[in-house]
Amino acid sequence: MVLTLLKKTAGTADKFCLVLLIGLVLALLVTDTQAEDRLSLAGTVYNAQGKGIKDVALEVTLNGQPLQPRGQEADIRTGNRGSFAADFILPTGALDGAKVAVRTSKPAWRTLGPLEVRLVGGEANEAGHQLFYAMKNFTLERQVAPAFWLATLILLLVYLIIALEWLHRTLAALLGATLMLFISYTLGVYDSAYFILSFEDAMHAMDMNVVFLLLAMMIIVGVIKKTGMFQWLAYKSYALARGNVFILAVLFMWITAVISAFLDNVTTMLLMIPVTIEIALTLKVNPMTFLIPEVFASNVGGTATLIGDPPNILIGSYANLSFGQFVINLAGICFICMIVTAVYYAFWYKKEYLEAEVKDVQSTIGYLREEYRITDPKLMTLCLVLLGLTIFLFVIHGMLHMPPSVAALTGAMFLLVLSRVDIVEMLEHEVEWPTLVFFMALFIVIAGAEETGLIQFIAEGVRNASGGSLTTAIIMVLWVSAIASAFIDNIPFTATMLPVIAFLNQTIPGAESGVLWWSLALGACLGGNGTMIGASANVVTVGMAEKAGYQISFLAYLKACFVPMLITVTLCMIYLLLAY
C-alpha cells in the first residue's frame, strides 16, 4: 500500500516531507493493533520567496473540531526548515467523508485557514485499520503587527544613538537587544502580537564565525605589534623616498593599504599614526596631509579581501563566500582605486608637499633607523610564517569547507603557543572586547527586525524601486550603501542589508551571480571614506591626531575625502556593470 501511496503523490510532495510521512505510515502499520482509523499529516510552510518558516503553529480540525496529535500535548509546530509532521488516532469510520482542515498562526504573519486538506488512502489493513494520509504546503504573507513598529523604533533608535554618539556604540547595541527581549517576555507573553524575538533565536542570531574571526585576528595583530614591524616599514619608506615627499606619501598609502588587506585597518592606523606624525614634523608638514591619504587607503585596501574590513567579514560569513571569491571579485578594482587615489592626493596636497623642508636626509634616515628598528627579529619571523599559514588557510578554506574563523584561530593559537606570549595579557590588552560585544548585540537587533518583517519590507521596497532590473539594483545597492555609510557607521548598515541582499538575489533575475554582494561590499567599505565618521579607522585617526595637537573639522575632512570617495565608487559602478 505504501508503494501505491507513493505513486499517487509522485512529483507533488517535497522529498523531505514524503520521507517523514512514509515513516509515520510504517510506524502505524507495525505498532498499534486496535481497530481505529489513522491519519498522517505532513507538509511545509513557506514564505513568499519559497523559504521555510520555522515555529509556525498549526491547528488541525475534523469537521470543525480540533484534533490532538498522538503523543503530543502541545500544538504542532514547524521545524527550522518549515516542515511539520503529525499523526492522529481516531475512532473507526471517523474519517469517512470527513472534512479535515488546517489553520496556521505565527506573530507577524497573516493567519491562514482553516484550509481543507485532501485525504488519500482509506484502505483497511489486516488488523482492520483504515490508514489515511495528507500532504499540504502553505505559503504565508507578512502582516504589520505592533512588534513590527517596536522593532523598527528600536533599530532606528540604535542608529540614531550611534550616529549622534549619545552613547558608546556597544552600549547602544546592547540597549537595543535588551529592549527587544524585554518587550518579548513582558508584553509579548500576554499578547503574541508584541512578541519580537525569543531568547533562543537571539542566541542563534549571533554569528560566532564573525566573532571568533575578529578575536583571532586581534590576537595575531597584538603579537605582531611587539616586533616593531609596522614602524620599521615606515622608516624603510622614508629611506626609499630619500626626501621626495610625493614618493613618501604614495609609499605610506600603499603600505597601509596592503597591511589593511590582511590585518585590521583600525590597528594598522593605530600603529602607523605615531611614526607618520614624527616624519611629518621632521619635514615641517602638517601630519594630516599624510594621515588622510593613509586612512583613505586603509579602507580601500581593506575592501579587497574577506578579512580586511568588518563589513566584508559580515558579508562573507552570511553569504558563505570564500577568501578567494573576495580577492577575485574585488582586488582588481581596489587596485585601480588605489592608483586613482594616490594620484588624486598627490595633486590635492601638492602645495603642502612642495613646501616641505627636506634637510639632511641621511641623518634623518640614521635617526629613524635607530628609533624604529625591529625589536624582536625571532618573533617577527615566527609571526610572518604563521601569518602566511593563516592566509594560506584563508585561500583554501573554501575547498576544505572550513569556516574562516577556524583558519584564523589556527594561526592565532599556534602563534600564542610558540611565542609564549602571556594569554591573559593578550586577552586583557589586545582583544577589543567592546567591539566583539557590539557585533553580538547588533546581530540580535537585526534578527528582531528580520523576525518582525521590517527587513523584508525594506527588501521588497528596493526590489520594487529597481523594477526587477539587475542593472538598477546594482546601482541602487552600491550608491545607497556608499552614501549611507558615509554618514552612519558602515557596520550596522551592512548587518541590516545582509538579509535584504539575500532576498534580492532570490527575486531579481541574474542576481544569482552574487554581484549584489560585491555592490554592498564596495559601497559600504568605500563609502565609509566620505566623512570622518563613516568608518572606525577614520574616527581613530582623527582622534589620535587631535591628541597630538592636529585638529581637522568635519567640513575640512569632507572636502578632502568626499570627492575621491565619489570617484572610487563611480569606478566600482562601471566595473560592476561591465563585469556582471
Side-chain angles (χ1 to χ4, degrees):
M1 190 184 75
V2 173
L3 291 175
T4 304
L5 297 179
L6 281 172
K7 291 178 180 179
K8 291 182 179 179
T9 59
T12 62
D14 297 327
K15 291 182 179 179
F16 179 73
C17 295
L18 199 54
V19 170
L20 288 175
L21 194 58
I22 292 172
L24 289 171
V25 172
L26 290 175
L28 293 171
L29 284 170
V30 300
T31 56
D32 207 327
T33 59
Q34 297 179 6
E36 296 172 321
D37 288 350
R38 309 295 202 279
L39 169 63
S40 294
L41 177 66
T44 304
V45 181
Y46 298 104
N47 63 15
Q49 291 71 51
K51 183 178 179 181
I53 307 172
K54 66 177 182 178
D55 206 32
V56 178
L58 297 102
E59 179 186 351
V60 181
T61 59
L62 175 67
N63 297 325
Q65 299 300 313
L67 289 180
Q68 188 66 37
R70 186 178 69 161
Q72 291 183 229
E73 296 181 358
D75 295 334
I76 306 169
R77 288 188 177 270
T78 57
N80 289 334
R81 296 183 178 181
S83 298
F84 65 91
D87 64 278
F88 306 86
I89 299 178
L90 302 164
T92 303
L95 290 173
D96 291 331
K99 292 184 178 179
V100 177
V102 178
R103 180 178 181 271
T104 68
S105 63
K106 184 180 180 179
W109 297 85
R110 295 189 186 280
T111 298
L112 194 64
L115 297 178
E116 187 173 345
V117 297
R118 187 172 65 89
L119 302 183
V120 179
E123 298 92 344
N125 63 8
E126 295 178 356
H129 300 178
Q130 288 193 86
L131 303 178
F132 296 82
Y133 81 95
M135 295 197 68
K136 183 71 174 180
N137 296 333
F138 304 91
T139 301
L140 302 189
E141 297 180 356
R142 289 279 189 180
Q143 72 173 356
V144 177
F148 172 91
W149 298 112
L150 289 169
T152 302
L153 181 63
I154 292 171
L155 181 64
L156 292 176
L157 178 64
V158 171
Y159 268 119
L160 187 64
I161 292 174
I162 293 174
L164 299 180
E165 297 182 350
W166 289 344
L167 297 172
H168 190 280
R169 67 178 186 176
T170 303
L171 181 55
L174 277 172
L175 175 64
T178 302
L179 283 175
M180 285 188 173
L181 292 172
F182 177 76
I183 292 171
S184 297
Y185 287 99
T186 51
L187 293 175
V189 171
Y190 295 100
D191 187 345
S192 62
Y194 290 88
F195 195 90
I196 301 174
L197 187 70
S198 70
F199 182 79
E200 291 75 16
D201 286 341
M203 296 302 100
H204 183 72
M206 291 188 292
D207 192 337
M208 299 310 293
N209 182 49
V210 171
V211 174
F212 281 117
L213 176 57
L214 289 170
L215 172 68
M217 295 309 297
M218 289 173 184
I219 291 173
I220 291 173
V221 171
V223 178
I224 293 176
K225 282 169 60 176
K226 297 179 179 293
T227 67
M229 185 177 71
F230 293 91
Q231 294 83 349
W232 179 81
L233 286 172
Y235 141 68
K236 292 300 291 185
S237 298
Y238 185 87
L240 287 172
R242 304 194 66 80
N244 188 315
V245 182
F246 288 91
I247 294 177
L248 179 62
V250 171
L251 284 173
F252 275 173
M253 290 175 64
W254 278 96
I255 287 173
T256 306
V258 172
I259 295 175
S260 295
F262 298 101
L263 301 175
D264 175 43
N265 54 4
V266 173
T267 304
T268 302
M269 289 308 301
L270 286 173
L271 297 171
M272 290 292 293
I273 288 169
V275 65
T276 299
I277 291 176
E278 184 164 349
I279 291 176
L281 293 179
T282 302
L283 298 170
K284 299 293 191 287
V285 175
N286 187 330
M288 298 308 298
T289 61
F290 287 117
L291 292 178
I292 289 180
E294 281 180 19
V295 71
F296 197 101
S298 76
N299 290 321
V300 175
T303 309
T305 67
L306 166 67
I307 59 174
D309 218 359
N312 283 8
I313 296 174
L314 291 171
I315 294 169
S317 182
Y318 187 93
N320 197 27
L321 299 171
S322 69
F323 185 92
Q325 287 175 296
F326 272 87
V327 172
I328 292 170
N329 290 279
L330 299 183
I333 185 60
C334 289
F335 182 82
I336 294 172
C337 289
M338 271 301 303
I339 294 174
V340 173
T341 300
V343 173
Y344 179 89
Y345 278 112
F347 280 97
W348 182 258
Y349 289 118
K350 179 180 178 180
K351 180 180 177 181
E352 289 82 354
Y353 293 162
L354 289 173
E355 293 176 353
E357 296 182 15
V358 182
K359 296 180 180 179
D360 201 353
V361 175
Q362 289 302 324
S363 64
T364 303
I365 291 175
Y367 166 75
L368 293 175
R369 183 188 299 116
E370 293 299 319
E371 186 73 12
Y372 298 117
R373 63 174 59 189
I374 300 296
T375 56
D376 192 335
K378 290 184 179 179
L379 181 58
M380 187 187 75
T381 302
L382 178 63
C383 288
L384 291 177
V385 170
L386 290 176
L387 179 61
L389 171 65
T390 304
I391 294 171
F392 174 73
L393 291 176
F394 281 138
V395 172
I396 66 170
H397 80 93
M399 293 183 288
L400 300 176
H401 304 289
M402 175 192 294
S405 59
V406 175
L409 283 168
T410 301
M413 294 307 105
F414 275 117
L415 186 56
L416 284 176
V417 171
L418 296 177
S419 66
R420 298 186 180 277
V421 172
D422 187 350
I423 181 64
V424 176
E425 177 192 355
M426 189 62 56
L427 293 176
E428 287 181 351
H429 298 103
E430 300 300 339
V431 175
E432 300 173 26
W433 292 107
T435 299
L436 300 181
V437 175
F438 167 69
F439 273 99
M440 295 167 73
L442 184 63
F443 288 138
I444 295 175
V445 174
I446 301 303
E450 185 174 8
E451 188 69 20
T452 56
L454 173 60
I455 299 300
Q456 185 170 345
F457 176 80
I458 296 172
E460 290 177 349
V462 174
R463 181 194 61 187
N464 294 335
S466 69
S469 166
L470 181 60
T471 299
T472 306
I474 291 172
I475 295 172
M476 284 185 63
V477 170
L478 178 69
W479 282 104
V480 169
S481 301
I483 300 302
S485 296
F487 295 98
I488 60 176
D489 194 308
N490 57 10
I491 295 174
F493 176 82
T494 303
T496 306
M497 287 295 292
L498 293 175
V500 174
I501 301 302
F503 173 88
L504 297 177
N505 284 340
Q506 296 177 344
T507 56
I508 294 181
E512 303 85 6
S513 64
V515 61
L516 295 181
W517 293 121
W518 312 129
S519 299
L520 177 61
L522 291 168
C525 294
L526 298 184
N529 269 326
T531 68
M532 67 167 59
I533 62 172
S536 300
N538 306 7
V539 178
V540 167
T541 301
V542 171
M544 289 191 68
E546 287 180 350
K547 287 183 179 179
Y550 299 93
Q551 295 186 347
I552 183 170
S553 67
F554 185 89
L555 287 177
Y557 196 102
L558 192 72
K559 289 179 182 178
C561 294
F562 202 77
V563 171
M565 182 275 285
L566 295 178
I567 293 173
T568 54
V569 174
T570 301
L571 289 172
C572 292
M573 179 182 70
I574 295 170
Y575 159 72
L576 291 170
L577 294 178
L578 290 177
Y580 298 93

